Short mmCIF file of all heavy atoms in Angstrom, two decimals:
data_model
loop_
_atom_site.label_atom_id
_atom_site.label_comp_id
_atom_site.label_asym_id
_atom_site.label_seq_id
_atom_site.Cartn_x
_atom_site.Cartn_y
_atom_site.Cartn_z
N ASP A 117 2.33 11.33 7.49
CA ASP A 117 2.67 12.73 7.23
C ASP A 117 1.78 13.34 6.14
O ASP A 117 1.23 14.48 6.45
CB ASP A 117 4.25 12.92 6.89
CG ASP A 117 4.49 14.38 6.64
OD1 ASP A 117 4.44 15.12 7.62
OD2 ASP A 117 4.85 14.74 5.45
N LEU A 118 1.57 12.66 5.16
CA LEU A 118 0.65 13.21 4.02
C LEU A 118 -0.80 13.25 4.49
O LEU A 118 -1.41 14.25 4.25
CB LEU A 118 0.69 12.16 2.80
CG LEU A 118 -0.07 12.61 1.56
CD1 LEU A 118 0.52 13.93 0.97
CD2 LEU A 118 0.07 11.47 0.58
N ALA A 119 -1.24 12.33 5.31
CA ALA A 119 -2.59 12.32 5.81
C ALA A 119 -2.73 13.56 6.80
O ALA A 119 -3.65 14.42 6.66
CB ALA A 119 -2.91 11.13 6.59
N LEU A 120 -1.76 13.81 7.59
CA LEU A 120 -1.86 15.01 8.58
C LEU A 120 -1.69 16.27 7.88
O LEU A 120 -2.48 17.25 8.06
CB LEU A 120 -0.67 14.90 9.52
CG LEU A 120 -0.84 13.77 10.71
CD1 LEU A 120 0.39 13.49 11.35
CD2 LEU A 120 -2.07 14.07 11.57
N ARG A 121 -0.93 16.39 6.76
CA ARG A 121 -0.68 17.66 6.05
C ARG A 121 -2.01 18.04 5.35
O ARG A 121 -2.27 19.09 4.95
CB ARG A 121 0.45 17.57 5.09
CG ARG A 121 1.96 17.79 5.74
CD ARG A 121 2.99 17.84 4.87
NE ARG A 121 3.26 16.61 4.18
CZ ARG A 121 3.25 16.37 2.82
NH1 ARG A 121 3.03 17.40 2.00
NH2 ARG A 121 3.56 15.22 2.26
N ARG A 122 -2.77 16.84 4.93
CA ARG A 122 -4.02 17.12 4.28
C ARG A 122 -5.17 17.28 5.21
O ARG A 122 -6.38 17.30 4.79
CB ARG A 122 -4.30 15.88 3.36
CG ARG A 122 -3.39 15.86 2.16
CD ARG A 122 -3.59 14.61 1.32
NE ARG A 122 -2.67 14.58 0.16
CZ ARG A 122 -2.88 13.64 -0.84
NH1 ARG A 122 -3.75 12.72 -0.72
NH2 ARG A 122 -2.01 13.70 -1.86
N GLY A 123 -4.87 17.50 6.51
CA GLY A 123 -5.85 17.64 7.54
C GLY A 123 -6.72 16.37 7.90
O GLY A 123 -7.71 16.51 8.58
N GLY A 124 -6.11 15.24 7.63
CA GLY A 124 -6.69 13.97 7.88
C GLY A 124 -6.58 13.62 9.35
O GLY A 124 -5.74 14.02 10.03
N GLY A 125 -7.42 12.71 9.74
CA GLY A 125 -7.52 12.21 11.08
C GLY A 125 -7.20 10.71 11.17
O GLY A 125 -7.06 10.11 12.31
N ARG A 126 -7.07 10.09 10.06
CA ARG A 126 -6.82 8.63 9.96
C ARG A 126 -6.03 8.15 8.76
O ARG A 126 -6.02 8.72 7.72
CB ARG A 126 -8.06 7.81 9.81
CG ARG A 126 -9.08 7.88 11.07
CD ARG A 126 -10.24 7.00 10.73
NE ARG A 126 -11.16 7.01 11.86
CZ ARG A 126 -12.33 6.81 11.80
NH1 ARG A 126 -12.99 6.40 10.73
NH2 ARG A 126 -13.06 6.66 12.81
N LEU A 127 -5.24 7.11 9.09
CA LEU A 127 -4.57 6.34 8.04
C LEU A 127 -4.99 4.92 8.33
O LEU A 127 -4.76 4.40 9.45
CB LEU A 127 -3.06 6.53 8.09
CG LEU A 127 -2.19 5.43 7.19
CD1 LEU A 127 -2.66 5.61 5.74
CD2 LEU A 127 -0.70 5.71 7.40
N GLU A 128 -5.63 4.31 7.42
CA GLU A 128 -6.19 3.01 7.60
C GLU A 128 -6.04 1.97 6.52
O GLU A 128 -5.72 2.51 5.35
CB GLU A 128 -7.71 3.00 8.06
CG GLU A 128 -8.52 3.69 7.12
CD GLU A 128 -9.95 4.10 7.70
OE1 GLU A 128 -10.27 3.76 8.81
OE2 GLU A 128 -10.69 4.65 6.92
N TRP A 129 -6.09 0.75 6.73
CA TRP A 129 -5.89 -0.23 5.70
C TRP A 129 -6.43 -1.52 6.14
O TRP A 129 -6.81 -1.74 7.24
CB TRP A 129 -4.37 -0.43 5.38
CG TRP A 129 -3.56 -0.86 6.55
CD1 TRP A 129 -3.22 -2.14 6.99
CD2 TRP A 129 -3.01 0.00 7.50
NE1 TRP A 129 -2.44 -2.05 8.01
CE2 TRP A 129 -2.20 -0.73 8.46
CE3 TRP A 129 -2.91 1.39 7.76
CZ2 TRP A 129 -1.53 -0.28 9.49
CZ3 TRP A 129 -2.21 1.97 8.73
CH2 TRP A 129 -1.59 1.10 9.73
N TRP A 130 -6.57 -2.51 5.22
CA TRP A 130 -6.95 -3.78 5.49
C TRP A 130 -5.73 -4.78 5.30
O TRP A 130 -4.89 -4.42 4.44
CB TRP A 130 -7.94 -4.26 4.44
CG TRP A 130 -9.27 -3.50 4.54
CD1 TRP A 130 -9.68 -2.70 5.46
CD2 TRP A 130 -10.21 -3.40 3.33
NE1 TRP A 130 -10.86 -2.10 5.01
CE2 TRP A 130 -11.32 -2.46 3.84
CE3 TRP A 130 -10.36 -3.91 2.25
CZ2 TRP A 130 -12.34 -2.10 3.09
CZ3 TRP A 130 -11.36 -3.59 1.44
CH2 TRP A 130 -12.47 -2.73 1.83
N VAL A 131 -5.82 -5.87 5.98
CA VAL A 131 -4.64 -6.73 5.79
C VAL A 131 -5.21 -8.16 5.90
O VAL A 131 -6.09 -8.43 6.68
CB VAL A 131 -3.54 -6.51 6.83
CG1 VAL A 131 -4.07 -6.77 8.28
CG2 VAL A 131 -2.42 -7.57 6.51
N LEU A 132 -4.83 -8.96 4.90
CA LEU A 132 -5.30 -10.41 4.99
C LEU A 132 -4.85 -11.11 6.07
O LEU A 132 -3.63 -11.04 6.59
CB LEU A 132 -4.79 -11.05 3.67
CG LEU A 132 -5.35 -10.72 2.35
CD1 LEU A 132 -4.66 -11.50 1.21
CD2 LEU A 132 -6.93 -11.08 2.28
N ARG A 133 -5.79 -11.90 6.75
CA ARG A 133 -5.43 -12.64 7.99
C ARG A 133 -4.23 -13.61 7.69
O ARG A 133 -3.60 -14.04 8.66
CB ARG A 133 -6.62 -13.19 8.62
CG ARG A 133 -7.70 -12.22 9.02
CD ARG A 133 -8.67 -12.88 9.92
NE ARG A 133 -9.68 -11.84 10.18
CZ ARG A 133 -9.61 -10.88 11.09
NH1 ARG A 133 -8.58 -10.77 11.74
NH2 ARG A 133 -10.64 -10.12 11.39
N THR A 134 -4.06 -14.00 6.47
CA THR A 134 -3.01 -14.99 6.09
C THR A 134 -1.70 -14.29 6.08
O THR A 134 -0.75 -14.95 6.03
CB THR A 134 -3.39 -15.64 4.78
OG1 THR A 134 -3.45 -14.72 3.84
CG2 THR A 134 -4.60 -16.47 4.87
N ASN A 135 -1.53 -12.93 6.14
CA ASN A 135 -0.33 -12.24 5.97
C ASN A 135 0.22 -12.00 7.40
O ASN A 135 0.37 -10.82 7.81
CB ASN A 135 -0.54 -10.94 5.18
CG ASN A 135 0.80 -10.44 4.66
OD1 ASN A 135 1.81 -10.67 5.16
ND2 ASN A 135 0.64 -9.41 3.80
N ASP A 136 0.78 -13.04 8.00
CA ASP A 136 1.26 -13.04 9.23
C ASP A 136 2.49 -11.92 9.49
O ASP A 136 2.49 -11.18 10.45
CB ASP A 136 1.71 -14.34 9.81
CG ASP A 136 0.57 -15.29 10.17
OD1 ASP A 136 -0.57 -14.68 10.51
OD2 ASP A 136 0.73 -16.56 9.89
N PRO A 137 3.40 -11.95 8.60
CA PRO A 137 4.57 -11.01 8.65
C PRO A 137 4.04 -9.60 8.68
O PRO A 137 4.54 -8.78 9.50
CB PRO A 137 5.44 -11.30 7.45
CG PRO A 137 5.08 -12.59 7.05
CD PRO A 137 3.66 -12.93 7.42
N ALA A 138 3.10 -9.22 7.79
CA ALA A 138 2.51 -7.90 7.75
C ALA A 138 1.82 -7.49 9.09
O ALA A 138 1.94 -6.38 9.66
CB ALA A 138 1.51 -7.66 6.59
N ILE A 139 1.07 -8.42 9.63
CA ILE A 139 0.30 -8.18 10.87
C ILE A 139 1.26 -7.99 11.93
O ILE A 139 1.09 -7.04 12.87
CB ILE A 139 -0.65 -9.45 11.21
CG1 ILE A 139 -1.76 -9.40 10.13
CG2 ILE A 139 -1.10 -9.32 12.64
CD1 ILE A 139 -2.64 -10.71 10.13
N ARG A 140 2.36 -8.76 12.09
CA ARG A 140 3.33 -8.54 13.11
C ARG A 140 4.02 -7.08 12.96
O ARG A 140 4.24 -6.39 13.87
CB ARG A 140 4.45 -9.57 12.98
CG ARG A 140 3.90 -10.98 13.59
CD ARG A 140 5.12 -11.94 13.87
NE ARG A 140 5.80 -12.29 12.54
CZ ARG A 140 5.56 -13.18 11.68
NH1 ARG A 140 4.44 -13.95 11.88
NH2 ARG A 140 6.21 -13.38 10.64
N PHE A 141 4.34 -6.80 11.70
CA PHE A 141 4.93 -5.51 11.37
C PHE A 141 3.93 -4.41 11.85
O PHE A 141 4.37 -3.45 12.55
CB PHE A 141 5.18 -5.37 9.91
CG PHE A 141 5.58 -3.99 9.40
CD1 PHE A 141 6.76 -3.48 9.74
CD2 PHE A 141 4.67 -3.40 8.65
CE1 PHE A 141 7.11 -2.24 9.39
CE2 PHE A 141 5.04 -2.09 8.11
CZ PHE A 141 6.27 -1.47 8.60
N TYR A 142 2.64 -4.47 11.52
CA TYR A 142 1.78 -3.40 11.95
C TYR A 142 1.53 -3.33 13.35
O TYR A 142 1.39 -2.31 14.05
CB TYR A 142 0.43 -3.55 11.16
CG TYR A 142 0.51 -3.42 9.71
CD1 TYR A 142 -0.12 -4.43 8.91
CD2 TYR A 142 1.27 -2.45 9.12
CE1 TYR A 142 -0.07 -4.27 7.52
CE2 TYR A 142 1.33 -2.45 7.66
CZ TYR A 142 0.72 -3.25 6.83
OH TYR A 142 0.71 -3.19 5.46
N ASN A 143 1.57 -4.46 14.08
CA ASN A 143 1.36 -4.54 15.56
C ASN A 143 2.58 -3.80 16.19
O ASN A 143 2.47 -3.13 17.14
CB ASN A 143 1.24 -5.96 15.96
CG ASN A 143 -0.06 -6.56 15.76
OD1 ASN A 143 -1.06 -5.91 15.65
ND2 ASN A 143 -0.14 -7.82 15.67
N ARG A 144 3.81 -3.96 15.67
CA ARG A 144 4.87 -3.29 16.14
C ARG A 144 4.81 -1.85 15.96
O ARG A 144 5.47 -1.01 16.83
CB ARG A 144 6.24 -3.83 15.45
CG ARG A 144 6.61 -5.09 15.96
CD ARG A 144 8.16 -5.50 15.55
NE ARG A 144 8.35 -5.36 14.00
CZ ARG A 144 8.16 -6.44 13.21
NH1 ARG A 144 7.65 -7.58 13.59
NH2 ARG A 144 8.36 -6.17 11.95
N LEU A 145 4.09 -1.34 15.05
CA LEU A 145 3.80 0.12 14.92
C LEU A 145 2.68 0.70 15.81
O LEU A 145 2.30 1.85 15.59
CB LEU A 145 3.58 0.44 13.48
CG LEU A 145 4.69 0.00 12.51
CD1 LEU A 145 4.34 0.31 10.98
CD2 LEU A 145 5.99 0.80 12.82
N ASN A 146 2.09 -0.22 16.52
CA ASN A 146 0.93 0.24 17.40
C ASN A 146 -0.39 0.42 16.59
O ASN A 146 -1.19 1.15 17.12
CB ASN A 146 1.23 1.43 18.34
CG ASN A 146 2.23 1.03 19.22
OD1 ASN A 146 2.36 0.03 19.82
ND2 ASN A 146 3.24 2.09 19.55
N ALA A 147 -0.46 -0.13 15.43
CA ALA A 147 -1.66 -0.08 14.70
C ALA A 147 -2.70 -0.95 15.43
O ALA A 147 -2.43 -1.91 16.02
CB ALA A 147 -1.51 -0.61 13.24
N ARG A 148 -3.90 -0.51 15.50
CA ARG A 148 -4.94 -1.18 16.20
C ARG A 148 -5.88 -2.03 15.27
O ARG A 148 -6.32 -1.38 14.24
CB ARG A 148 -5.77 -0.18 16.93
CG ARG A 148 -6.91 -0.77 17.71
CD ARG A 148 -7.68 0.33 18.55
NE ARG A 148 -8.53 1.07 17.88
CZ ARG A 148 -9.82 0.79 17.63
NH1 ARG A 148 -10.31 -0.29 18.04
NH2 ARG A 148 -10.61 1.70 16.97
N GLU A 149 -6.01 -3.28 15.54
CA GLU A 149 -6.96 -4.09 14.77
C GLU A 149 -8.37 -3.77 15.24
O GLU A 149 -8.68 -3.64 16.33
CB GLU A 149 -6.69 -5.64 14.97
CG GLU A 149 -7.53 -6.43 14.00
CD GLU A 149 -7.13 -7.85 14.20
OE1 GLU A 149 -5.98 -8.16 14.60
OE2 GLU A 149 -7.89 -8.80 13.72
N LEU A 150 -9.25 -3.50 14.17
CA LEU A 150 -10.62 -3.16 14.53
C LEU A 150 -11.50 -4.38 14.72
O LEU A 150 -11.70 -5.12 13.80
CB LEU A 150 -11.11 -2.22 13.45
CG LEU A 150 -10.44 -0.92 13.18
CD1 LEU A 150 -11.08 -0.13 12.04
CD2 LEU A 150 -10.38 -0.08 14.54
N ASP A 151 -12.00 -4.63 15.81
CA ASP A 151 -12.97 -5.76 16.13
C ASP A 151 -14.44 -5.27 15.84
O ASP A 151 -15.21 -6.04 15.56
CB ASP A 151 -12.79 -6.11 17.58
CG ASP A 151 -11.48 -6.70 17.88
OD1 ASP A 151 -10.87 -7.33 16.96
OD2 ASP A 151 -11.07 -6.48 18.95
N GLU A 152 -14.59 -3.93 15.86
CA GLU A 152 -16.00 -3.43 15.82
C GLU A 152 -16.59 -3.26 14.36
O GLU A 152 -17.59 -2.88 14.10
CB GLU A 152 -16.15 -2.17 16.59
CG GLU A 152 -15.29 -0.97 16.02
CD GLU A 152 -13.92 -0.92 16.56
OE1 GLU A 152 -13.34 -1.86 16.96
OE2 GLU A 152 -13.39 0.22 16.32
N ILE A 153 -15.76 -3.70 13.34
CA ILE A 153 -16.05 -3.51 11.91
C ILE A 153 -15.93 -4.73 11.23
O ILE A 153 -14.95 -5.50 11.37
CB ILE A 153 -15.18 -2.45 11.25
CG1 ILE A 153 -15.43 -1.08 11.82
CG2 ILE A 153 -15.42 -2.49 9.75
CD1 ILE A 153 -14.48 0.02 11.30
N ALA A 154 -17.02 -5.19 10.43
CA ALA A 154 -16.98 -6.29 9.50
C ALA A 154 -16.88 -5.76 8.13
O ALA A 154 -17.65 -4.89 7.73
CB ALA A 154 -18.14 -7.17 9.73
N ILE A 155 -15.98 -6.19 7.41
CA ILE A 155 -15.86 -5.74 5.94
C ILE A 155 -16.73 -6.58 5.22
O ILE A 155 -16.77 -7.75 5.16
CB ILE A 155 -14.35 -5.87 5.39
CG1 ILE A 155 -13.46 -4.96 6.37
CG2 ILE A 155 -14.32 -5.57 3.96
CD1 ILE A 155 -11.95 -5.25 6.05
N MET A 156 -17.71 -5.88 4.46
CA MET A 156 -18.74 -6.48 3.56
C MET A 156 -18.43 -6.21 2.10
O MET A 156 -17.80 -5.16 1.82
CB MET A 156 -20.00 -5.90 3.96
CG MET A 156 -20.33 -5.99 5.36
SD MET A 156 -20.31 -7.73 6.01
CE MET A 156 -21.72 -8.54 5.28
N ARG A 157 -18.70 -7.10 1.29
CA ARG A 157 -18.39 -6.86 -0.19
C ARG A 157 -19.46 -7.43 -1.16
O ARG A 157 -19.94 -8.62 -0.80
CB ARG A 157 -17.04 -7.50 -0.52
CG ARG A 157 -16.62 -7.43 -1.95
CD ARG A 157 -15.41 -8.07 -2.26
NE ARG A 157 -14.27 -7.27 -1.60
CZ ARG A 157 -13.01 -7.73 -1.40
NH1 ARG A 157 -12.79 -8.93 -1.73
NH2 ARG A 157 -12.18 -6.99 -0.74
N LEU A 158 -19.85 -6.69 -2.04
CA LEU A 158 -20.69 -7.17 -3.25
C LEU A 158 -19.79 -7.20 -4.40
O LEU A 158 -19.10 -6.12 -4.65
CB LEU A 158 -21.88 -6.29 -3.43
CG LEU A 158 -23.04 -6.29 -2.43
CD1 LEU A 158 -23.98 -5.16 -2.71
CD2 LEU A 158 -23.64 -7.58 -2.44
N ALA A 159 -19.62 -8.28 -5.11
CA ALA A 159 -18.76 -8.33 -6.27
C ALA A 159 -19.44 -9.29 -7.23
O ALA A 159 -20.21 -10.16 -6.92
CB ALA A 159 -17.37 -8.83 -5.90
N GLY A 160 -19.06 -9.21 -8.56
CA GLY A 160 -19.56 -10.14 -9.56
C GLY A 160 -20.98 -10.14 -9.69
O GLY A 160 -21.64 -9.10 -9.74
N GLU A 161 -21.55 -11.37 -9.72
CA GLU A 161 -23.10 -11.52 -9.87
C GLU A 161 -23.80 -10.92 -8.67
O GLU A 161 -24.88 -10.26 -8.95
CB GLU A 161 -23.40 -13.00 -9.84
CG GLU A 161 -23.15 -13.75 -11.23
CD GLU A 161 -23.62 -15.20 -11.20
OE1 GLU A 161 -24.61 -15.46 -10.64
OE2 GLU A 161 -22.92 -15.92 -11.81
N ALA A 162 -23.21 -10.93 -7.41
CA ALA A 162 -23.95 -10.37 -6.28
C ALA A 162 -24.12 -8.84 -6.55
O ALA A 162 -25.09 -8.22 -6.14
CB ALA A 162 -23.22 -10.58 -5.04
N LEU A 163 -23.02 -8.18 -7.10
CA LEU A 163 -23.10 -6.75 -7.29
C LEU A 163 -24.14 -6.38 -8.42
O LEU A 163 -25.03 -5.47 -8.24
CB LEU A 163 -21.70 -6.34 -7.81
CG LEU A 163 -21.51 -4.77 -8.09
CD1 LEU A 163 -21.86 -3.96 -6.84
CD2 LEU A 163 -20.25 -4.53 -8.62
N GLU A 164 -24.17 -7.22 -9.46
CA GLU A 164 -25.31 -6.99 -10.44
C GLU A 164 -26.60 -7.28 -9.88
O GLU A 164 -27.51 -6.39 -10.26
CB GLU A 164 -24.97 -7.97 -11.63
CG GLU A 164 -23.75 -7.61 -12.42
CD GLU A 164 -23.35 -8.48 -13.50
OE1 GLU A 164 -24.31 -9.21 -14.00
OE2 GLU A 164 -22.21 -8.55 -13.95
#
Side-chain angles (χ1 to χ4, degrees):
D117 179 64
L118 186 60
L120 290 168
R121 284 189 289 121
R122 291 180 178 182
R126 290 183 179 158
L127 170 59
E128 56 194 358
W129 60 92
W130 303 337
V131 59
L132 288 174
R133 294 195 187 282
T134 57
N135 194 344
D136 293 326
I139 292 169
R140 287 192 302 274
F141 170 69
Y142 297 138
N143 285 336
R144 286 193 303 272
L145 298 177
N146 294 323
R148 181 173 77 86
E149 186 174 342
L150 301 177
D151 295 326
E152 64 271 21
I153 294 176
I155 298 172
M156 308 301 288
R157 176 179 292 162
L158 290 171
E161 285 183 33
L163 180 62
E164 292 177 21

